[in-house]
Amino acid sequence: MSRPLGIVVVGAGSGFGAALAQDLAASGHRVLAGSRRARPANLPAPYARVDVTLAESVTRFAEEAHELLGQIDGLVYCAADPGAVARAWEVDPQDASRVLEVSLLGLVRIAGAFVPALRQAGRGSIVTVGSQAARTPIDLLAVYGAAKAAAEAYTRSLAQELHGTGVRANVIGIAAETDLARTHRTVKAELRGRPSPHPPLPPVNDSLPLARWLLTDDARHVTGQTIEARQP
Ligand SMILES: NC(=O)c1ccc[n+]([C@@H]2O[C@H](COP(=O)([O-])OP(=O)(O)OC[C@H]3O[C@@H](n4cnc5c(N)ncnc54)[C@H](OP(=O)(O)O)[C@@H]3O)[C@@H](O)[C@H]2O)c1
């Protein structure tokens, strides 16, 4: 293992975030995982509740993270709302607002709470989990794609504005069988009136190595990039 890092994983109550937090903790890194639910029973990493749609909750979470981890070297943003699955012209604006709140504004709040300390320390790797939907329209996921495009553009701006500070920011894609993937598939099947023609996605652990690598100094020259997952 490379030297132990302090890493915050946001949106880690389930799926990719929970698997990554667990994997990093098992590798000896100092980790704080967070999302809205009460501590998931099967998550062996330190955990704190956070709702990224609420400014006070994000501030409290950042305080807990700094207290627990001391120096923070990595920040992984995985939070996403599974709603607003609909024809582009039939999306309920309130559902759209929730999806944008979590994917974009939550990321803005988290960056506001963590980036100043990363800059001051002169090091840090920010990893935003994006989606292929940001660049290629995916049927019935118009708002999800728009929200991911916004998060991706915001992350690239972070990378540009943090250039030369030692703080990097990149976007990764994943392809994994998770609650969000299952919800999207189920709602799409209901709307289409037929089951999904696609097989289940790969296990979540297949998507971990890229995030793990971007968090290390081995990726110190990589910033402002989007690295997409291979689609099955
Ligand atoms: N699965 C895929 O194939 C795939 C493909 C491309 C991109 N992605 C992206 O991968 C990331 C992880 O998703 P996943 O597939 O692992 O699905 P997931 O298991 O549903 O994870 C999403 C996480 O976001 C958290 N979350 C939702 N609203 C939140 C809020 N307001 N504040 C804090 N946390 C919140 C949820 O926990 P709580 O409910 O406890 O808050 C949950 O743990 C997402 O950004 C997703 O868009 C997934």
Side-chain angles (χ1 to χ4, degrees):
M1 183 189 72
S2 51
R3 76 177 181 81
L5 302 170
I7 300 166
V8 177
V9 186
V10 179
S14 58
F16 176 76
L20 181 66
Q22 179 168 348
D23 177 85
L24 292 167
S27 302
H29 297 294
R30 295 167 287 116
V31 176
L32 180 62
S35 62
R36 292 168 304 175
R37 73 193 68 190
R39 185 181 221 306
N42 53 356
L43 184 68
Y47 179 87
R49 291 178 89 167
V50 60
D51 184 339
V52 298
T53 67
L54 304 174
E56 322 81 71
S57 174
V58 170
T59 303
R60 207 170 40 243
F61 178 70
E63 285 165 2
E64 285 179 79
H66 285 113
E67 206 166 295
L68 181 78
L69 303 179
Q71 181 172 326
I72 294 170
D73 306 287
L75 179 61
V76 186
Y77 192 80
C78 315
D81 184 286
V85 181
R87 294 269 157 237
W89 60 93
E90 289 173 350
V91 176
D92 178 334
Q94 274 189 330
D95 292 347
S97 166
R98 245 190 357 263
V99 170
L100 283 156
E101 262 293 335
V102 178
S103 279
L104 177 63
L105 300 177
L107 176 58
V108 172
R109 289 186 191 97
I110 288 288
F114 285 93
V115 168
L118 298 180
R119 280 190 69 194
Q120 201 172 359
R123 57 173 283 113
S125 171
I126 300 166
V127 178
T128 300
V129 184
S131 169
Q132 191 197 20
R135 278 152 281 109
T136 309
I138 298 182
D139 196 28
L140 302 174
L141 294 183
V143 168
Y144 177 76
K148 289 297 192 181
E152 189 170 322
Y154 176 77
T155 304
R156 275 203 306 274
S157 286
L158 278 179
Q160 192 210 31
E161 293 181 30
L162 291 167
H163 185 79
T165 65
V167 185
R168 303 179 286 110
N170 293 286
V171 179
I172 61 167
I174 69 169
E177 192 59 26
T178 62
D179 291 351
L180 179 130
R182 279 185 284 272
T183 301
H184 281 176
R185 194 165 49 239
T186 304
V187 179
K188 284 180 180 186
E190 282 165 12
L191 289 169
R192 291 178 180 137
R194 58 185 158 79
S196 164
H198 303 295
L201 291 167
V204 74
N205 283 359
D206 289 6
S207 289
L208 301 181
L210 175 59
R212 228 165 28 207
W213 175 71
L214 282 170
L215 290 166
T216 68
D217 285 344
D218 287 349
R220 62 189 170 280
H221 299 304
V222 183
T223 191
Q225 304 301 310
T226 296
I227 307 176
E228 201 32 270
R230 179 179 58 82
Q231 296 302 310

